[in-house]
Coordinates of all heavy atoms in Angstrom, one line a residue:
M174 N 0.8 -1.2 0.0 CA 0.0 0.0 0.0 C 0.9 1.2 0.0 O 1.8 1.4 0.8 CB -0.9 0.0 1.2 CG -1.7 1.3 1.4 SD -2.7 1.3 2.8 CE -4.1 0.3 2.3
P175 N 0.7 2.2 -0.9 CA 1.5 3.4 -1.0 C 1.3 4.3 0.2 O 0.2 4.4 0.8 CB 1.1 4.0 -2.3 CG -0.2 3.4 -2.7 CD -0.3 2.1 -1.9
L176 N 2.3 5.1 0.5 CA 2.3 6.1 1.5 C 2.5 7.4 0.7 O 3.5 7.6 0.1 CB 3.3 5.9 2.5 CG 3.5 7.0 3.5 CD1 2.3 7.2 4.4 CD2 4.8 6.8 4.3
F177 N 1.5 8.3 0.8 CA 1.6 9.6 0.1 C 1.9 10.7 1.1 O 1.2 10.8 2.1 CB 0.3 9.9 -0.7 CG 0.0 8.9 -1.8 CD1 -1.0 8.0 -1.6 CD2 0.8 8.9 -2.9 CE1 -1.2 7.1 -2.6 CE2 0.5 8.0 -3.9 CZ -0.5 7.1 -3.8
I178 N 3.0 11.4 0.9 CA 3.3 12.5 1.8 C 2.7 13.8 1.2 O 3.1 14.2 0.1 CB 4.8 12.7 2.0 CG1 5.3 11.4 2.7 CG2 5.1 13.9 2.8 CD1 6.8 11.3 2.8
R179 N 1.7 14.4 1.8 CA 1.0 15.5 1.3 C 1.4 16.8 2.0 O 0.9 17.9 1.7 CB -0.5 15.3 1.4 CG -0.9 14.2 0.5 CD -2.4 14.0 0.5 NE -2.8 13.0 -0.4 CZ -3.2 11.8 0.0 NH1 -3.2 11.5 1.3 NH2 -3.6 10.9 -0.9
D180 N 2.3 16.7 3.0 CA 2.7 17.9 3.8 C 4.1 18.3 3.2 O 5.1 17.5 3.2 CB 2.8 17.4 5.3 CG 3.2 18.6 6.2 OD1 4.3 19.1 6.0 OD2 2.4 18.9 7.0
D181 N 4.2 19.5 2.8 CA 5.4 20.0 2.2 C 6.6 20.0 3.2 O 7.7 19.7 2.8 CB 5.2 21.5 1.7 CG 4.3 21.5 0.5 OD1 4.2 20.5 -0.2 OD2 3.8 22.6 0.2
D182 N 6.3 20.3 4.5 CA 7.4 20.2 5.5 C 7.9 18.8 5.7 O 9.1 18.6 5.8 CB 6.9 20.8 6.9 CG 6.6 22.3 6.8 OD1 7.2 23.0 6.0 OD2 5.7 22.7 7.6
V183 N 7.0 17.8 5.7 CA 7.4 16.4 5.9 C 8.2 16.0 4.6 O 9.2 15.3 4.7 CB 6.2 15.5 6.1 CG1 6.6 14.1 6.1 CG2 5.5 15.9 7.4
D184 N 7.8 16.4 3.4 CA 8.5 16.1 2.2 C 9.9 16.7 2.2 O 10.8 16.0 1.8 CB 7.7 16.6 1.0 CG 8.3 16.2 -0.3 OD1 8.4 14.9 -0.5 OD2 8.7 17.1 -1.1
A185 N 10.0 17.9 2.7 CA 11.3 18.5 2.8 C 12.2 17.8 3.8 O 13.4 17.6 3.5 CB 11.2 20.0 3.2
L186 N 11.6 17.4 4.9 CA 12.4 16.6 5.9 C 12.9 15.3 5.3 O 14.0 14.8 5.5 CB 11.6 16.3 7.1 CG 11.4 17.5 8.1 CD1 10.4 17.1 9.1 CD2 12.7 17.9 8.7
A187 N 12.0 14.6 4.5 CA 12.4 13.4 3.9 C 13.5 13.6 2.9 O 14.4 12.8 2.8 CB 11.1 12.8 3.2
A188 N 13.4 14.7 2.1 CA 14.5 15.0 1.2 C 15.8 15.3 1.9 O 16.9 14.8 1.4 CB 14.1 16.2 0.3
K189 N 15.8 16.0 3.0 CA 17.0 16.2 3.8 C 17.6 14.9 4.3 O 18.8 14.7 4.3 CB 16.7 17.2 4.9 CG 16.5 18.6 4.5 CD 16.2 19.5 5.7 CE 15.9 20.9 5.2 NZ 15.5 21.8 6.4
L190 N 16.7 14.1 4.8 CA 17.2 12.8 5.3 C 17.8 11.9 4.2 O 18.7 11.2 4.4 CB 16.0 12.0 6.0 CG 16.4 10.7 6.7 CD1 17.3 11.0 7.8 CD2 15.1 10.1 7.2
Q191 N 17.2 12.0 3.0 CA 17.7 11.2 1.9 C 19.1 11.6 1.6 O 20.0 10.8 1.4 CB 16.8 11.5 0.7 CG 17.3 10.8 -0.6 CD 16.5 11.1 -1.8 OE1 15.6 11.9 -1.8 NE2 16.9 10.5 -2.9
V192 N 19.4 12.9 1.6 CA 20.7 13.4 1.4 C 21.7 13.0 2.5 O 22.8 12.5 2.3 CB 20.7 15.0 1.2 CG1 22.1 15.5 1.2 CG2 20.0 15.3 -0.1
A193 N 21.2 13.2 3.8 CA 22.0 12.9 4.9 C 22.4 11.5 5.1 O 23.5 11.1 5.5 CB 21.3 13.4 6.2
T194 N 21.5 10.6 4.7 CA 21.8 9.1 4.8 C 22.3 8.5 3.5 O 22.6 7.4 3.4 CB 20.5 8.4 5.2 OG1 19.5 8.6 4.2 CG2 20.0 8.8 6.5
K195 N 22.4 9.4 2.4 CA 22.8 8.9 1.1 C 21.9 7.8 0.6 O 22.4 6.9 -0.1 CB 24.3 8.5 1.1 CG 25.2 9.6 1.5 CD 26.7 9.2 1.5 CE 27.6 10.3 1.7 NZ 28.1 10.5 3.0
S196 N 20.7 7.9 0.9 CA 19.7 6.9 0.4 C 19.4 7.2 -1.1 O 19.5 8.3 -1.5 CB 18.4 7.1 1.2 OG 18.6 6.7 2.6
R197 N 19.1 6.1 -1.8 CA 18.8 6.3 -3.2 C 17.5 7.0 -3.4 O 17.3 7.8 -4.4 CB 18.7 4.9 -3.9 CG 20.0 4.2 -4.0 CD 19.9 2.8 -4.6 NE 19.0 1.9 -3.9 CZ 18.0 1.3 -4.4 NH1 17.7 1.4 -5.6 NH2 17.2 0.5 -3.6
T198 N 16.5 6.9 -2.5 CA 15.2 7.5 -2.7 C 14.7 8.0 -1.4 O 15.2 7.6 -0.3 CB 14.1 6.5 -3.2 OG1 14.0 5.5 -2.2 CG2 14.6 5.9 -4.5
K199 N 13.7 8.9 -1.4 CA 13.1 9.4 -0.2 C 12.4 8.2 0.5 O 12.4 8.2 1.7 CB 12.1 10.5 -0.5 CG 12.8 11.9 -0.8 CD 11.8 13.0 -0.8 CE 11.2 13.1 -2.1 NZ 10.3 14.3 -2.3
T200 N 11.8 7.3 -0.3 CA 11.1 6.2 0.3 C 12.1 5.4 1.2 O 11.8 5.0 2.3 CB 10.5 5.3 -0.8 OG1 9.6 6.1 -1.5 CG2 9.9 4.1 -0.2
E201 N 13.3 5.1 0.7 CA 14.3 4.4 1.4 C 14.7 5.1 2.7 O 14.9 4.5 3.7 CB 15.6 4.2 0.5 CG 16.6 3.3 1.2 CD 17.8 3.1 0.2 OE1 17.6 2.8 -0.9 OE2 19.0 3.3 0.7
A202 N 14.9 6.4 2.6 CA 15.2 7.2 3.8 C 14.1 7.2 4.8 O 14.4 7.1 6.0 CB 15.5 8.7 3.3
V203 N 12.9 7.3 4.4 CA 11.7 7.2 5.3 C 11.6 5.8 6.0 O 11.4 5.7 7.2 CB 10.4 7.6 4.6 CG1 9.2 7.3 5.5 CG2 10.4 9.1 4.2
R204 N 11.9 4.8 5.2 CA 11.8 3.4 5.7 C 12.9 3.3 6.8 O 12.7 2.8 7.9 CB 12.1 2.4 4.6 CG 12.1 0.9 5.1 CD 12.5 -0.1 4.1 NE 13.8 0.3 3.5 CZ 15.0 0.1 4.0 NH1 15.1 -0.4 5.2 NH2 16.1 0.4 3.4
L205 N 14.1 3.8 6.5 CA 15.2 3.7 7.5 C 14.9 4.5 8.7 O 15.1 4.0 9.9 CB 16.5 4.2 6.8 CG 17.7 4.2 7.7 CD1 18.2 2.8 8.0 CD2 18.9 5.0 6.9
A206 N 14.3 5.6 8.6 CA 13.9 6.5 9.8 C 12.9 5.8 10.6 O 12.9 5.8 11.8 CB 13.4 7.8 9.3
L207 N 11.9 5.2 9.9 CA 10.8 4.5 10.6 C 11.4 3.2 11.4 O 11.0 3.0 12.5 CB 9.7 4.1 9.7 CG 8.9 5.2 9.1 CD1 8.0 4.7 8.0 CD2 8.1 5.9 10.2
E208 N 12.3 2.5 10.7 CA 12.9 1.3 11.4 C 13.6 1.8 12.6 O 13.6 1.1 13.7 CB 13.8 0.6 10.4 CG 13.1 -0.2 9.4 CD 14.0 -0.8 8.3 OE1 15.2 -0.5 8.3 OE2 13.5 -1.6 7.5
H209 N 14.4 2.8 12.5 CA 15.2 3.3 13.7 C 14.3 3.8 14.8 O 14.6 3.6 16.0 CB 16.1 4.5 13.2 CG 17.3 4.0 12.4 ND1 18.2 4.8 11.8 CD2 17.8 2.7 12.2 CE1 19.1 4.1 11.2 NE2 18.9 2.8 11.4
E210 N 13.2 4.5 14.4 CA 12.3 5.0 15.5 C 11.6 3.8 16.2 O 11.4 3.8 17.4 CB 11.2 5.9 14.8 CG 10.3 6.5 15.8 CD 10.9 7.3 16.9 OE1 12.1 7.7 16.8 OE2 10.2 7.7 17.9
L211 N 11.2 2.8 15.4 CA 10.6 1.6 16.0 C 11.6 0.9 17.0 O 11.2 0.5 18.1 CB 10.1 0.6 15.0 CG 8.8 0.9 14.3 CD1 8.5 0.0 13.2 CD2 7.7 0.8 15.3
Q212 N 12.8 0.8 16.6 CA 13.9 0.2 17.4 C 14.0 1.0 18.7 O 14.1 0.5 19.8 CB 15.2 0.1 16.7 CG 16.3 -0.5 17.5 CD 17.6 -0.6 16.7 OE1 17.6 -0.2 15.5 NE2 18.6 -1.0 17.3
R213 N 14.1 2.4 18.6 CA 14.2 3.2 19.7 C 13.1 3.1 20.7 O 13.3 3.0 21.9 CB 14.3 4.7 19.3 CG 14.7 5.7 20.4 CD 14.6 7.1 19.9 NE 13.2 7.5 19.6 CZ 12.4 7.9 20.6 NH1 12.7 7.9 21.8 NH2 11.1 8.2 20.2
V214 N 11.9 3.0 20.2 CA 10.7 2.8 21.0 C 10.7 1.5 21.7 O 10.4 1.4 22.9 CB 9.4 3.0 20.2 CG1 8.2 2.6 20.9 CG2 9.2 4.5 19.7
R215 N 11.1 0.4 21.0 CA 11.1 -0.9 21.6 C 12.1 -1.0 22.7 O 11.9 -1.6 23.7 CB 11.4 -1.9 20.5 CG 10.2 -2.2 19.6 CD 10.6 -3.3 18.6 NE 9.5 -3.5 17.7 CZ 9.6 -3.6 16.4 NH1 10.8 -3.5 15.8 NH2 8.6 -3.7 15.6
E216 N 13.3 -0.3 22.5 CA 14.3 -0.3 23.5 C 13.9 0.4 24.8 O 14.5 0.1 25.9 CB 15.6 0.3 23.0 CG 16.3 -0.6 21.9 CD 17.4 0.1 21.2 OE1 17.7 1.3 21.4 OE2 18.1 -0.6 20.4
K217 N 13.0 1.3 24.7 CA 12.5 2.0 25.9 C 11.5 1.2 26.7 O 11.2 1.5 27.8 CB 11.9 3.3 25.5 CG 12.9 4.4 25.0 CD 12.3 5.6 24.5 CE 11.8 6.5 25.7 NZ 11.3 7.8 25.3
Q218 N 10.9 0.1 26.1 CA 9.9 -0.7 26.8 C 10.6 -1.5 27.9 O 11.8 -1.9 27.7 CB 9.3 -1.7 25.8 CG 8.3 -1.1 24.8 CD 7.8 -2.1 23.9 OE1 8.5 -3.0 23.5 NE2 6.5 -2.0 23.5
P219 N 10.0 -1.7 29.0 CA 10.5 -2.5 30.0 C 10.8 -3.9 29.5 O 10.1 -4.4 28.6 CB 9.5 -2.6 31.1 CG 8.6 -1.4 30.8 CD 8.7 -1.2 29.3
A220 N 11.8 -4.6 30.0 CA 12.1 -5.9 29.6 C 11.0 -6.9 29.7 O 10.8 -7.8 28.9 CB 13.3 -6.5 30.4
S221 N 10.1 -6.7 30.7 CA 9.0 -7.6 30.9 C 8.0 -7.5 29.8 O 7.4 -8.5 29.4 CB 8.3 -7.3 32.3 OG 7.8 -5.9 32.3
E222 N 7.8 -6.3 29.2 CA 6.9 -6.1 28.1 C 7.6 -6.7 26.8 O 6.9 -7.3 26.0 CB 6.6 -4.6 27.8 CG 5.7 -4.0 28.9 CD 5.4 -2.6 28.6 OE1 5.5 -2.2 27.4 OE2 5.0 -1.9 29.5
R223 N 8.9 -6.5 26.7 CA 9.5 -7.1 25.5 C 9.5 -8.6 25.5 O 9.5 -9.3 24.5 CB 11.0 -6.6 25.4 CG 11.1 -5.1 25.1 CD 12.5 -4.7 24.7 NE 13.5 -5.2 25.6 CZ 14.1 -4.5 26.6 NH1 13.8 -3.3 26.8 NH2 15.1 -5.1 27.3
A224 N 9.6 -9.2 26.7 CA 9.6 -10.6 26.8 C 8.2 -11.3 26.8 O 8.1 -12.5 26.7 CB 10.4 -11.0 28.1
A225 N 7.2 -10.5 26.9 CA 5.8 -11.0 27.0 C 5.5 -11.9 25.9 O 4.8 -13.0 26.1 CB 4.8 -9.8 27.1
A226 N 5.8 -11.6 24.7 CA 5.4 -12.4 23.5 C 6.1 -13.8 23.6 O 5.5 -14.9 23.4 CB 5.8 -11.8 22.2
S227 N 7.4 -13.8 24.0 CA 8.1 -15.1 24.1 C 7.6 -15.9 25.3 O 7.4 -17.1 25.1 CB 9.6 -14.8 24.4 OG 10.2 -14.1 23.3
I228 N 7.2 -15.3 26.3 CA 6.6 -16.0 27.5 C 5.3 -16.6 27.1 O 5.0 -17.8 27.4 CB 6.5 -15.0 28.7 CG1 7.9 -14.7 29.2 CG2 5.6 -15.7 29.8 CD1 7.9 -13.5 30.2
A229 N 4.5 -15.9 26.3 CA 3.2 -16.4 25.9 C 3.4 -17.6 25.0 O 2.7 -18.6 25.1 CB 2.4 -15.3 25.2
I230 N 4.3 -17.5 24.1 CA 4.6 -18.7 23.2 C 5.1 -19.9 24.0 O 4.6 -21.0 23.8 CB 5.6 -18.3 22.1 CG1 5.0 -17.3 21.2 CG2 6.1 -19.5 21.4 CD1 6.1 -16.7 20.2
S231 N 6.0 -19.7 24.9 CA 6.5 -20.8 25.7 C 5.3 -21.4 26.6 O 5.3 -22.6 26.8 CB 7.6 -20.4 26.6 OG 7.2 -19.5 27.6
R232 N 4.4 -20.6 27.0 CA 3.3 -21.2 27.8 C 2.4 -22.0 26.9 O 1.8 -23.0 27.4 CB 2.5 -20.0 28.5 CG 3.3 -19.4 29.6 CD 2.4 -18.4 30.4 NE 3.2 -17.9 31.5 CZ 3.2 -16.7 32.0 NH1 2.3 -15.8 31.4 NH2 3.9 -16.3 33.0
T233 N 2.2 -21.6 25.7 CA 1.3 -22.4 24.8 C 2.0 -23.7 24.4 O 1.3 -24.7 24.2 CB 1.0 -21.7 23.5 OG1 2.1 -21.4 22.8 CG2 0.2 -20.4 23.8
M234 N 3.3 -23.8 24.5 CA 4.1 -25.0 24.2 C 4.0 -26.0 25.3 O 4.1 -27.2 25.1 CB 5.5 -24.7 23.8 CG 5.7 -23.9 22.6 SD 7.4 -23.3 22.3 CE 8.3 -24.8 22.1
G235 N 3.8 -25.5 26.5 CA 3.7 -26.4 27.6 C 5.1 -26.8 28.2 O 6.1 -26.4 27.6
P236 N 5.1 -27.6 29.2 CA 6.3 -28.0 29.8 C 7.1 -29.0 28.9 O 6.5 -29.8 28.2 CB 5.9 -28.7 31.1 CG 4.5 -29.1 30.9 CD 3.9 -28.1 29.9
G237 N 8.4 -28.8 28.8 CA 9.2 -29.7 28.0 C 9.4 -31.0 28.7 O 9.4 -31.2 29.9
G238 N 9.6 -32.0 27.8 CA 10.0 -33.3 28.4 C 11.5 -33.4 28.7 O 12.3 -32.7 28.1
G239 N 11.8 -34.2 29.6 CA 13.2 -34.3 30.0 C 14.0 -35.3 29.2 O 15.1 -35.6 29.5
S240 N 13.4 -35.8 28.1 CA 14.1 -36.9 27.3 C 14.9 -36.4 26.1 O 15.5 -37.2 25.4 CB 13.0 -37.9 26.8 OG 12.1 -37.3 26.0
F241 N 14.9 -35.1 25.9 CA 15.6 -34.6 24.7 C 17.1 -34.6 24.9 O 17.6 -34.2 25.9 CB 15.2 -33.1 24.4 CG 15.9 -32.5 23.2 CD1 15.5 -32.9 22.0 CD2 16.9 -31.6 23.4 CE1 16.1 -32.3 20.8 CE2 17.6 -31.1 22.3 CZ 17.1 -31.4 21.0
D242 N 17.8 -35.2 24.0 CA 19.3 -35.4 24.1 C 19.9 -34.5 23.0 O 19.9 -34.8 21.8 CB 19.6 -36.8 23.9 CG 21.1 -37.1 24.0 OD1 21.9 -36.1 24.2 OD2 21.5 -38.3 23.9
M243 N 20.5 -33.4 23.4 CA 21.1 -32.4 22.4 C 22.2 -33.1 21.7 O 22.4 -32.8 20.5 CB 21.5 -31.2 23.2 CG 22.1 -30.1 22.2 SD 21.0 -29.7 20.9 CE 20.6 -28.0 21.3
K244 N 23.0 -33.9 22.3 CA 24.2 -34.5 21.6 C 23.7 -35.4 20.5 O 24.2 -35.3 19.3 CB 25.0 -35.3 22.6 CG 26.0 -36.2 22.0 CD 27.4 -35.5 21.9 CE 28.5 -36.5 21.5 NZ 28.7 -36.6 20.1
T245 N 22.7 -36.2 20.7 CA 22.1 -37.1 19.7 C 21.5 -36.3 18.6 O 21.7 -36.6 17.4 CB 21.1 -38.1 20.3 OG1 21.7 -38.8 21.3 CG2 20.5 -39.0 19.3
F246 N 20.8 -35.2 18.9 CA 20.1 -34.4 18.0 C 21.2 -33.7 17.1 O 21.1 -33.7 15.8 CB 19.3 -33.3 18.7 CG 18.8 -32.2 17.8 CD1 17.6 -32.5 17.0 CD2 19.4 -31.0 17.7 CE1 17.1 -31.5 16.1 CE2 18.9 -30.0 16.8 CZ 17.7 -30.3 16.0
T247 N 22.3 -33.2 17.7 CA 23.3 -32.5 16.9 C 24.0 -33.5 16.0 O 24.3 -33.2 14.8 CB 24.3 -31.9 17.8 OG1 23.6 -31.0 18.7 CG2 25.3 -31.0 17.1
D248 N 24.3 -34.7 16.5 CA 25.0 -35.7 15.7 C 24.2 -36.1 14.5 O 24.7 -36.3 13.4 CB 25.3 -37.0 16.6 CG 26.4 -36.7 17.6 OD1 27.1 -35.7 17.5 OD2 26.6 -37.6 18.5
D249 N 22.9 -36.3 14.7 CA 21.9 -36.7 13.7 C 21.9 -35.6 12.6 O 21.8 -35.8 11.4 CB 20.5 -37.0 14.2 CG 20.5 -38.3 15.0 OD1 21.4 -39.1 14.8 OD2 19.5 -38.5 15.7
M250 N 21.9 -34.3 13.1 CA 21.8 -33.2 12.2 C 23.0 -33.1 11.3 O 22.9 -32.8 10.1 CB 21.6 -31.9 13.0 CG 21.4 -30.7 12.2 SD 21.1 -29.2 13.2 CE 22.6 -29.0 14.1
W251 N 24.2 -33.3 11.9 CA 25.4 -33.2 11.1 C 25.7 -34.4 10.3 O 26.5 -34.3 9.3 CB 26.6 -32.8 12.0 CG 26.5 -31.4 12.5 CD1 26.0 -30.9 13.6 CD2 26.9 -30.3 11.7 NE1 26.1 -29.6 13.7 CE2 26.7 -29.1 12.5 CE3 27.5 -30.1 10.5 CZ2 27.0 -27.9 12.1 CZ3 27.8 -28.8 10.0 CH2 27.5 -27.7 10.9
G252 N 25.2 -35.5 10.6 CA 25.5 -36.7 9.9 C 26.9 -37.2 10.0 O 27.5 -37.1 11.0
D253 N 27.5 -37.7 8.9 CA 28.8 -38.2 8.9 C 29.9 -37.2 8.4 O 30.8 -37.6 7.7 CB 28.9 -39.4 7.9 CG 28.1 -40.6 8.5 OD1 28.0 -40.7 9.8 OD2 27.6 -41.4 7.7
I254 N 29.7 -36.0 8.7 CA 30.6 -35.0 8.3 C 31.9 -35.1 9.0 O 32.0 -35.3 10.2 CB 30.1 -33.5 8.5 CG1 28.9 -33.4 7.5 CG2 31.1 -32.5 8.2 CD1 28.2 -32.0 7.6

């Protein structure tokens, strides 16, 4: 879905960012800026919030069995190398 910038000030900022980051296009510069902003926001979240998704997934998986043998698994995975 396209993103149209209809604000002249925002368009000018995107052009300045394109030059500053040596991006090929304004779209690339805006994508980079949005990725950096998302990363910055995520880093400000408490660790408990960042880990919530992983915790939820592990809870749906249930308790693990004690019979998994990592050495056997790794040997099988690598074969006769």
Side-chain angles (χ1 to χ4, degrees):
M174 174 182 280
L176 171 68
F177 298 105
I178 298 175
R179 294 184 178 102
D180 184 296
D181 291 337
D182 293 334
V183 174
D184 186 59
L186 285 170
K189 288 179 184 178
L190 185 62
Q191 178 185 1
V192 171
T194 60
K195 297 182 175 99
S196 297
R197 291 180 299 127
T198 63
K199 283 191 275 186
T200 299
E201 184 179 313
V203 169
R204 180 189 51 77
L205 182 65
L207 291 171
E208 287 174 351
H209 286 170
E210 182 62 11
L211 279 172
Q212 180 180 355
R213 187 187 69 78
V214 168
R215 286 181 184 133
E216 288 172 354
K217 290 175 77 174
Q218 290 177 321
S221 60
E222 287 182 23
R223 292 193 313 261
S227 297
I228 292 168
I230 291 169
S231 69
R232 286 185 178 146
T233 62
M234 293 172 65
S240 63
F241 181 76
D242 182 358
M243 181 56 112
K244 170 94 171 85
T245 301
F246 173 78
T247 305
D248 289 348
D249 290 343
M250 183 175 64
W251 284 98
D253 291 332
I254 294 180

